[in-house]
Amino acid sequence: TACRQAGRWKQAVSLLGRMRRNGVPPNAHAFSAAISACASAGEWVSAISLLEMMEAAGLPHSAVAYSATIAACGRGGAWRRALQLLEAMGRLGIVHRSTHAHNAAISACARAAEWEPAIALLTAMEQQDGGAPAPD
C-alpha cells in the first residue's frame, strides 16, 4: 500500500518479482496491493496481467483484487474490460454483489461517458436483493 500511496506502481510490481526470486511466493494480499498500486495509476493492462498471474498461481479469487482491477480499467479508459471483469466475478462466485466492484464499474462507464451501461448496472443493483449491495 505504500507504493500505491506514493504512486509507484512499477515498484509494487517489481516487489512481487523480488519476492519470487527470494523464494517467497506472493500471496493474495501481495498481489492485491500491487494491483491497487496499478489501479491508482490507471495501469489497467498491468493490473489485468497481475490478476491473471495471481489466478495462475492457484491463489483464491479475491473481491479486492477484482475490484482494484476494475478500478484500474476505469482509470485507464477500458470500460468494456471493467464490465467483463464484473461479469466474471459473478460467474466465479466472488462476492454476490460487491459494492466497491460495482461502483468501480459504474465509474469506468462514467469516465467514458457511457451512461447506458452505468444506468443498467445501477438498475441491476436495485433489482437484486431489494437494492441492498453486499458490503466489501
Side-chain angles (χ1 to χ4, degrees), residues 72-89:
C73 290
R75 288 188 184 105
W79 66 274
R80 284 188 179 99
R81 189 65 172 116
L83 295 179
Q84 291 170 348
L85 288 166
L86 186 64
E87 289 175 14
M89 285 180 77

Side-chain angles (χ1 to χ4, degrees), residues 10-102:
K10 288 180 183 178
Q11 188 173 5
V13 173
S14 173
L15 286 172
L16 291 178
R18 191 177 312 159
M19 287 175 73
R20 278 195 290 273
R21 285 190 301 278
N22 289 327
V24 179
N27 60 19
H29 295 291
F31 272 105
S32 293
I35 292 169
S36 292
C38 291
S40 292
E43 292 292 332
W44 67 276
V45 174
S46 295
I48 288 173
S49 176
L50 289 172
L51 184 66
E52 290 170 350
M53 289 171 57
M54 181 178 163
E55 292 176 344
L59 295 171
H61 299 289
S62 160
V64 172
Y66 267 83
S67 295
T69 306
I70 291 168
C73 290
R75 288 188 184 105
W79 66 274
R80 284 188 179 99
R81 189 65 172 116
L83 295 179
Q84 291 170 348
L85 288 166
L86 186 64
E87 289 175 14
M89 285 180 77
R91 282 193 312 273
L92 295 168
I94 306 168
V95 181
H96 174 61
R97 280 188 330 153
S98 164
T99 302
H100 186 61
H102 274 79

